[in-house]
């Protein structure tokens, strides 16, 4: 299920409703599209982000007030395998959850692309830090034991190609993405449960909002298949995603009404045997500047 059909409107920041927009929302809600997909489609068409979330929430509220249709019912549960166009081909979606918004893409990257990313990262690996919520500084903590390599957006032709593909499948413009972070976990390596979004009430994290706004979604791409362990776990919903080379799990945590979805608490479970390589892409509300 995709939202390639966009509302035919828009100057940047467009924030006025119309009968055309209302019909567009009603039709796509009836077909089973989720709030996240509709908001992203409106953003791509030039609508103001706050207005888009409010318009979708209002339209969905009206929809919920009426009798449920089969399409609306399907949208609220895991969807069957689908295909989403990415320009260079099609990316199968192995499963899709509506709440919280989580999708698992099959073979987003080829084996050769995964291996090439690992090779790019080997020469610049360093211990992975986290943002100190009070100061905004990057600190090393025991809860995160990976080695990582950070890249700038478009730094390498391979990265530029992958970033364009990510933009196509997620619907989030490439310039809203932070640079890819390549991470390596050895046996026993893990990242304990955490959120990827920033807490605006913590001064250190609030500083991060000045360079692209809030993070709205994460994409984790598995660059190899560990012998055992290393799944991505969502403990609040009882979901574990197995790391399979080339696959990618996408999850969105900015709800249509602007709240942050704490059901996206997640963890990188300990690697039991072998090692794990992943590429992480964080997506922002607005164009990101390093």
């Amino acid at each position: 299920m995709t939202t390639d059909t966009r509302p035919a409107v828009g100057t940047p920041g467009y924030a006025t409703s119309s009968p055309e927009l209302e019909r567009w929302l009603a039709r796509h809600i009836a077909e089973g599209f989720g709030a996240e997909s509709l908001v992203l489609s409106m953003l791509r068409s030039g609508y103001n982000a706050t207005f888009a979330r409010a318009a979708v929430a209002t339209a969905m509220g009206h929809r919920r007030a009426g009798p449920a249709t089969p399409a609306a019912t399907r949208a609220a549960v895991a969807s069957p395998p689908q295909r989403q166009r990415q320009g260079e081909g099609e990316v199968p979606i192995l499963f899709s959850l509506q709440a919280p918004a989580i999708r698992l893409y099959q073979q987003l990257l080829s084996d050769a692309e995964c291996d090439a990313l690992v090779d790019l990262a080997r020469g610049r690996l360093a211990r992975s830090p986290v943002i100190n919520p009070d100061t905004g500084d990057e600190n090393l903590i025991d809860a995160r034991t990976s080695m990582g390599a950070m890249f700038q957006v478009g730094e390498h032709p391979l990265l530029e190609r992958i970033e364009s593909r990510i933009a196509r499948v997620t619907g989030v413009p490439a310039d809203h993405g932070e640079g890819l972070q390549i991470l390596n976990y050895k046996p026993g390596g893990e990242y304990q449960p955490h959120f990827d979004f920033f807490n605006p009430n913590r001064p250190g994290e609030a500083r991060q909002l000045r360079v692209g706004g809030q993070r709205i979604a994460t994409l984790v791409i598995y660059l190899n298949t560990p012998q055992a362990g290393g799944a991505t776990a969502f403990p609040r919903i009882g979901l574990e995603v197995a790391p399979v080379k080339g696959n990618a799990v996408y999850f969105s945590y900015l709800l249509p009404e602007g709240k942050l979805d704490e059901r996206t608490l997640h963890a990188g479970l300990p690697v039991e045997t072998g090692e794990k390589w992943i590429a992480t892409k964080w997506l922002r509300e607005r164009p990101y500047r390093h």
Side-chain angles (χ1 to χ4, degrees):
M1 184 183 299
T2 63
T3 51
D4 291 336
T5 303
R6 307 178 198 173
V9 174
T11 57
Y14 195 87
T16 303
S17 189
S18 66
E20 180 186 34
L21 173 62
E22 293 171 3
R23 287 192 296 270
W24 181 86
L25 286 168
R27 182 173 74 253
H28 284 80
I29 292 169
E31 291 173 358
F33 290 97
E36 174 209 11
S37 296
L38 296 173
V39 169
L40 288 176
S41 203
M42 289 180 68
L43 293 178
R44 293 169 65 193
S45 295
Y47 279 93
N48 172 275
T50 301
F51 171 78
R53 295 188 199 104
V56 170
T58 298
M60 287 197 148
H62 290 164
R63 182 67 187 178
R64 283 193 292 269
T69 65
T73 302
R74 284 198 301 272
V77 298
S79 303
Q82 311 159 44
R83 290 185 178 271
Q84 180 158 335
R85 298 200 63 81
Q86 63 168 10
E88 300 162 293
E90 293 184 338
V91 180
I93 298 178
L94 294 177
F95 74 78
S96 177
L97 301 181
Q98 178 69 21
I102 302 176
R103 295 195 293 270
L104 178 63
Y105 295 100
Q106 182 181 41
Q107 294 300 290
L108 179 68
L109 300 188
S110 68
D111 283 359
E113 289 171 326
C114 291
D115 295 342
L117 282 180
V118 170
D119 289 342
L120 277 179
R122 287 188 187 277
R124 62 167 79 173
L125 288 175
R127 178 76 185 276
S128 303
V130 298
I131 299 295
N132 184 308
D134 296 316
T135 66
D137 298 329
E138 293 185 341
N139 298 150
L140 301 180
I141 62 172
D142 292 339
R144 190 182 197 190
T145 58
S146 62
M147 300 289 285
M150 291 293 299
F151 293 89
Q152 298 299 312
V153 174
E155 179 178 337
H156 185 279
L158 172 64
L159 299 176
E160 190 172 20
R161 184 170 75 246
I162 291 171
E163 287 158 353
S164 294
R165 187 179 310 161
I166 291 171
R168 284 192 290 270
V169 299
T170 65
V172 181
D175 65 356
H176 287 226
E178 299 180 33
L180 274 177
Q181 182 183 62
I182 313 299
L183 300 174
N184 176 229
Y185 292 85
K186 301 298 185 184
E190 64 175 326
Y191 194 176
Q192 294 175 11
H194 61 284
F195 298 110
D196 282 351
F197 54 75
F198 302 115
N199 182 344
N201 297 318
R202 303 294 294 270
E205 296 186 43
R207 283 174 49 188
Q208 300 293 324
L209 303 177
R210 303 171 189 167
V211 291
Q214 183 62 268
R215 284 177 176 167
I216 61 173
T218 298
L219 183 76
V220 176
I221 309 170
Y222 303 108
L223 304 181
N224 79 319
T225 303
Q227 295 177 33
T232 303
F234 296 85
R236 292 188 174 176
I237 61 171
L239 174 67
E240 292 186 6
V241 178
V244 175
K245 187 175 184 179
N247 286 3
V249 61
Y250 167 89
F251 50 101
S252 173
Y253 24 85
L254 191 62
L255 295 168
E257 63 271 22
K259 295 181 180 179
L260 296 166
D261 194 339
E262 295 190 354
R263 292 170 298 183
T264 58
L265 181 77
H266 61 287
L269 297 183
V271 176
E272 298 172 17
T273 308
E275 62 179 343
K276 179 175 78 169
W277 287 89
I278 63 172
T280 300
K281 185 75 168 179
W282 290 300
L283 304 172
R284 298 283 192 120
E285 287 182 292
R286 301 189 295 274
Y288 173 77
R289 57 182 177 84
H290 180 68

